Amino acid sequence: MNEHVQHSRADRRRRGRRGLAVAVASVAAGVVAAGALAPTAAFAGGRPDSVQSGLNALVKDDGLPAALAAVTGRDGRPRNYTAGVGDLATGAKVPVDGQIRAGSNTKTFTAVVVLQLVAEGRIGLDASVDTYLPGLLRGDGIDGRHITVRQLLQHTSGLPDYMDAPALSDFTTIQYRYFEPRDLLDGALAQKARFPAGTSWEYSNTNYIVAGLLIQKVTGRPVGEEITKRVIDRIGLRHTYFPTPGDTGIHEAHPQGYYRSSPDAPPIDYTGMDSSMAWAAGAIVSTNTDLISFFAALLGGRLLPAAQLAEMRTTVPAELLGPGVRYGLGLQSRPLSCGGLSWGHGGTSPGYRSRNGATDDGRAAAITVTTIPGGVGAQHMADALDAALCR
């Protein structure tokens, strides 16, 4: 779901309505009292692993119920870590590499399918949306005849975010509500365009609802089926799936996810949900290990021909996502403190937030927490990911 960090006062109000950046420090005492900071990764010479230390701090200092990580280091060896508790009600342990709602990491999967269709000559990257979905995008400053497929994937279309629509203003009332993609799109089209297409950059989930509709129009098949066939099954992601309509649970072992409508509100167990509110922009369920396997396979050329992978990695500035961040076609690059770039995405759903990255030399890491951290906690997540990739 929506990943951008807004800086204007109006955008902060919109973000507040969504409830996607609230502090959850009040759960810290319960987590620490449960004594749940024991690592799952080995200690070396009595010294805590730096990744484990980072997760422990997210739980203890930032008050997050649980944190999970998967890391593939310079030696190529995969490692998994956990901290906190997997269920605040029972105090159950965090499942190692448990399934999580991957949120906007879904966008990279969706972009890969679109780019595969580009490689097959079935979609033109610089063709207008109206070429395939005539008349779909019309509104105040919105015209699908002047918005290209590339602009959808790169968030340069100017389409407003459907997450700002009144129907999605309170997650506590829609946890199990089903939305048709057209319902989501109508919420966006009732708003004014953010800017003329191609003149600026702003993250909007609406772009990937349209991309999902585009995939369905061109292939004649549901977007979830195309993602499964073309990506998930192709590279053997055994713990990743795109939920079918009505599937509100998480299939395998997982930590519970929690949501707060305000800093003072009690946490709501948001593990179960109807992910139609996110659809092609954020519905996928996965694990940290599967996510880093996906990004490693993508960077390694296993999912796209070289020409389309190069297009995906052609970026524009996206500083609202963080210092030095750039956005390609469903793919972000971030500078590392140790030099070079990591490539990945990240995702947020009401009960989970994940961050990940992979490098061209084979390093990869993913970290997930089981609620949406406030600003300081979000920065600590970014720091922990950087440390995992740079160690």
Side-chain angles (χ1 to χ4, degrees):
M1 301 169 84
N2 207 332
E3 296 306 302
H4 61 308
V5 179
Q6 306 285 8
H7 294 286
S8 71
R9 182 175 300 172
D11 285 340
R12 286 198 297 270
R13 285 199 299 268
R14 292 209 315 274
R15 182 180 60 184
R17 288 198 302 273
R18 277 173 248 164
L20 286 185
V22 293
V24 291
S26 61
V27 301
V31 172
V32 175
L37 299 182
T40 59
F43 279 46
R47 201 159 45 93
D49 182 290
S50 61
V51 178
Q52 186 65 56
S53 297
L55 296 194
N56 290 352
L58 287 170
V59 171
K60 182 178 179 181
D61 300 336
D62 296 303
L64 307 181
L68 308 81
V71 179
T72 300
R74 299 176 191 272
D75 59 3
R77 177 185 166 193
R79 298 173 176 85
N80 282 286
Y81 305 79
T82 68
V85 293
D87 187 326
L88 291 177
T90 67
K93 292 183 178 180
V94 182
V96 175
D97 202 33
Q99 283 187 324
I100 49 92
R101 296 193 183 276
S104 284
N105 288 294
T106 304
K107 291 181 174 65
T108 314
F109 288 73
T110 300
V112 166
V113 174
V114 172
L115 288 166
Q116 288 175 349
L117 293 168
V118 170
E120 294 166 15
R122 300 169 71 182
I123 291 177
L125 194 52
D126 293 305
S128 72
V129 173
D130 252 42
T131 303
Y132 310 99
L133 299 165
L136 179 71
L137 299 181
R138 296 292 190 274
D140 188 353
I142 300 168
D143 190 335
R145 292 169 293 188
H146 306 300
I147 296 173
T148 68
V149 175
R150 183 191 300 274
Q151 288 165 350
L152 292 178
L153 300 183
Q154 198 150 45
H155 296 297
T156 56
S157 69
L159 288 173
D161 199 327
Y162 73 85
M163 294 297 294
D164 293 329
L168 283 93
S169 62
D170 183 358
F171 282 151
T172 64
T173 66
I174 59 171
Q175 185 169 359
Y176 293 103
R177 178 178 167 184
Y178 176 75
F179 290 88
E180 288 283 353
R182 183 70 216 205
D183 297 332
L184 305 176
L185 185 58
D186 286 348
L189 296 178
Q191 305 172 53
K192 184 178 180 180
R194 299 292 293 167
F195 50 82
T199 64
S200 187
W201 183 92
E202 184 176 293
Y203 193 100
S204 173
N205 289 286
T206 307
N207 289 309
Y208 279 79
I209 300 303
V210 180
L213 292 170
L214 175 62
I215 290 168
Q216 294 192 159
K217 181 64 179 289
V218 170
T219 66
R221 303 300 303 168
V223 67
E225 289 186 13
E226 290 297 312
I227 287 173
T228 300
K229 176 182 71 175
R230 291 171 170 271
V231 182
I232 295 172
D233 290 348
R234 181 172 173 177
I235 57 174
L237 302 179
R238 296 186 297 113
H239 307 290
T240 300
Y241 65 94
F242 192 103
T244 56
D247 183 356
T248 61
I250 295 180
H251 295 176
E252 299 176 15
H254 58 272
Q256 303 298 105
Y258 298 93
Y259 170 72
R260 285 178 180 266
S261 58
S262 70
D264 297 326
I268 297 169
D269 189 325
Y270 221 101
T271 312
M273 63 173 284
D274 192 317
S275 57
S276 64
M277 73 166 75
W279 199 53
I284 280 178
V285 173
S286 189
T287 65
N288 284 327
T289 296
D290 268 10
L291 286 173
I292 62 177
S293 295
F294 165 64
F295 284 104
L298 175 60
L299 295 180
R302 294 173 56 197
L303 288 167
L304 290 173
Q308 281 68 48
L309 182 57
E311 294 279 15
M312 195 176 209
R313 289 167 56 123
T314 300
T315 60
V316 296
E319 293 279 338
L320 288 175
L321 294 174
V325 176
R326 298 178 65 89
Y327 204 97
L329 305 184
L331 189 66
Q332 302 174 16
S333 68
R334 290 176 178 268
L336 293 170
S337 64
C338 52
L341 298 174
S342 70
W343 294 88
H345 202 281
T348 300
S349 80
Y352 302 87
R353 174 166 286 178
S354 61
R355 292 290 180 264
N356 55 66
T359 64
D360 288 327
D361 65 2
R363 288 170 286 152
I367 295 174
T368 298
V369 296
T370 58
T371 194
I372 301 166
V376 173
Q379 183 58 53
H380 290 164
M381 276 191 76
D383 293 345
L385 180 64
D386 180 86
L389 289 166
C390 284
R391 60 187 197 139

